[in-house]
Amino acid sequence: MDDPLIVGYHLQHMWSDMDFHSHREYEIYLFHAGSCRYLIHNQIYDLEPGDILLMDGMALHKPNVPPNSQYVRSTLHFSPQWISGVLDKVGGLHLLNVFEKLHHCLIRTKENQESRQLERLICRMAEIKRTSNPEDINADIELKGLLLQVLTVVNRLGQLESIKISGEKAETTEHAEKIAEYIQKNYMNKLTIDSISRELNISKSYVSHIFKKITGFTIMEYVMASRLTQAKYLLEMELDKPIKDVAYNSGFESVSHFSRYFKNNVGVSPKEYRRNRQKKYSEEN
């Protein structure tokens, strides 16, 4: 993401090629209407209007929307480096703690007054992004001020006792979460549907069926997405690690397969990705 702030207000279309994905930017997601089951890392949430998802971006995530279903949401993607200077000056760096310490969470607002205020703030941000010049310093200042308000509202919502979520989940969802959790802990090893079903003591056919039903994707698609996310992390955070070690540490069986899969799914080679991310962070800092 080249833009340090991307805003989408009342989005209704669904990208047909949306896969499990991750990104370095933090994300605030507000669900408005329709039907959506959202997978983040190894947690699965059946969303209700007014639900807010907070993500550090690096946790693997994907919405699963039934065919022909309504799907209305607003989203904010922002670079923490872009706003951290302002937060530091006003003593508000703690507002990023939810992303840095929890990594992801769900806030259930029941569409209360606070969530409606959040929606108005996102609407105004989307309007500014749509109508202003990217070089407009006044627009940049207003956007940072609005994001500061957004983070304050989100922090306040997260502290309310009235929005705690019931821990009860359907048995099928619990099974899918166990499968996702096992994959997250073992993606660096050789995994097959046989080995996963054996380790979890669940039949092979049931493992495949239930994971596809709940998440919308196959087990092996999730395995490969987990490996790709880890590879991105290692390329950015361990700059001296050779590409072959990144491949093997992420669970790929060969460097050639890793390079080919990475370029097909990210659009650039692993070396180019590392170089581009280094350039981006040096510019931000």
Side-chain angles (χ1 to χ4, degrees):
M1 189 174 91
D2 295 328
D3 194 331
L5 176 70
I6 293 180
V7 188
Y9 178 69
H10 270 235
L11 302 172
Q12 298 190 39
H13 60 285
M14 180 65 183
W15 291 277
S16 58
D17 60 346
M18 179 59 75
D19 203 341
F20 288 109
H21 60 285
S22 62
H23 43 77
R24 293 297 300 176
E25 295 71 33
Y26 293 168
E27 179 175 354
I28 299 172
Y29 170 109
L30 177 58
F31 184 67
H32 300 298
S35 179
C36 178
R37 176 175 285 146
Y38 214 105
L39 172 64
I40 309 177
H41 192 55
N42 55 20
Q43 295 292 304
I44 298 170
Y45 303 107
D46 287 297
L47 299 184
E48 299 178 3
D51 280 357
I52 299 169
L53 291 170
L54 307 178
M55 297 173 261
D56 69 355
M58 285 307 293
L60 199 62
H61 55 281
K62 180 197 177 297
N64 182 18
V65 180
N68 303 316
S69 174
Q70 185 185 27
Y71 179 45
V72 187
R73 73 281 186 200
S74 295
T75 59
L76 272 176
H77 294 79
F78 67 95
S79 166
Q81 289 84 4
W82 180 73
I83 192 64
S84 60
V86 174
L87 292 174
D88 188 32
K89 287 184 181 300
V90 299
L93 284 173
H94 66 281
L95 296 177
L96 297 179
N97 284 350
V98 65
F99 302 97
E100 296 167 354
K101 294 182 178 180
L102 293 182
H103 304 296
H104 58 87
C105 70
L106 168 66
I107 300 174
R108 180 144 290 162
T109 72
K110 301 293 184 181
E111 297 186 297
N112 61 12
Q113 184 176 348
E114 296 276 11
S115 72
R116 289 191 289 272
Q117 180 186 359
L118 180 62
E119 186 176 346
R120 289 192 294 270
L121 289 168
I122 295 176
C123 178
R124 174 58 182 158
M125 294 176 78
E127 181 182 3
I128 294 172
K129 290 288 289 184
R130 186 176 63 253
T131 60
S132 64
N133 187 304
E135 306 301 321
D136 186 344
I137 186 64
N138 291 324
D140 188 74
I141 291 171
E142 184 174 1
L143 285 168
K144 285 180 176 175
L146 289 166
L147 180 55
L148 178 58
Q149 292 182 64
V150 165
L151 292 171
T152 302
V153 171
V154 166
N155 184 69
R156 188 160 56 241
L157 279 167
Q159 294 175 357
L160 295 177
E161 291 296 320
S162 60
I163 56 175
K164 288 188 176 178
I165 303 162
S166 170
E168 294 183 5
K169 290 187 177 182
E171 183 179 5
T172 52
T173 299
E174 289 183 349
H175 280 146
E177 288 183 338
K178 287 181 180 179
I179 295 167
E181 181 180 14
Y182 180 80
I183 291 171
Q184 285 292 329
K185 291 179 178 178
N186 296 278
Y187 60 80
M188 70 294 298
N189 303 319
K190 185 174 181 179
L191 290 178
T192 65
I193 296 176
D194 280 331
S195 66
I196 293 171
S197 63
R198 185 168 57 250
E199 287 296 326
L200 296 178
N201 197 26
I202 304 174
S203 73
K204 178 180 175 181
S205 60
Y206 185 76
V207 163
S208 299
H209 169 73
I210 205 62
F211 196 79
K212 173 75 172 179
K213 177 182 177 182
I214 297 298
T215 69
F217 275 75
T218 68
I219 284 177
M220 295 316 297
E221 285 170 335
Y222 186 71
V223 169
M224 295 306 294
S226 299
R227 290 171 175 166
L228 183 63
T229 295
Q230 176 66 5
K232 287 180 178 179
Y233 175 82
L234 292 176
L235 287 168
E236 292 187 46
M237 304 306 294
E238 299 189 24
L239 299 177
D240 296 328
K241 185 182 285 291
I243 297 298
K244 65 179 180 62
D245 290 345
V246 171
Y248 295 135
N249 292 165
S250 301
F252 290 88
E253 295 185 3
S254 71
V255 178
S256 59
H257 178 226
F258 167 61
S259 297
R260 185 169 60 253
Y261 184 84
F262 193 96
K263 187 163 187 177
N264 286 342
N265 286 272
V266 181
V268 295
S269 70
K271 287 183 179 179
E272 289 175 294
Y273 179 85
R274 173 178 274 169
R275 186 164 55 246
N276 292 342
R277 298 306 293 182
Q278 281 183 278
K279 180 181 178 182
K280 175 178 172 58
Y281 283 119
S282 63
E283 290 173 349
E284 288 183 345
N285 295 322

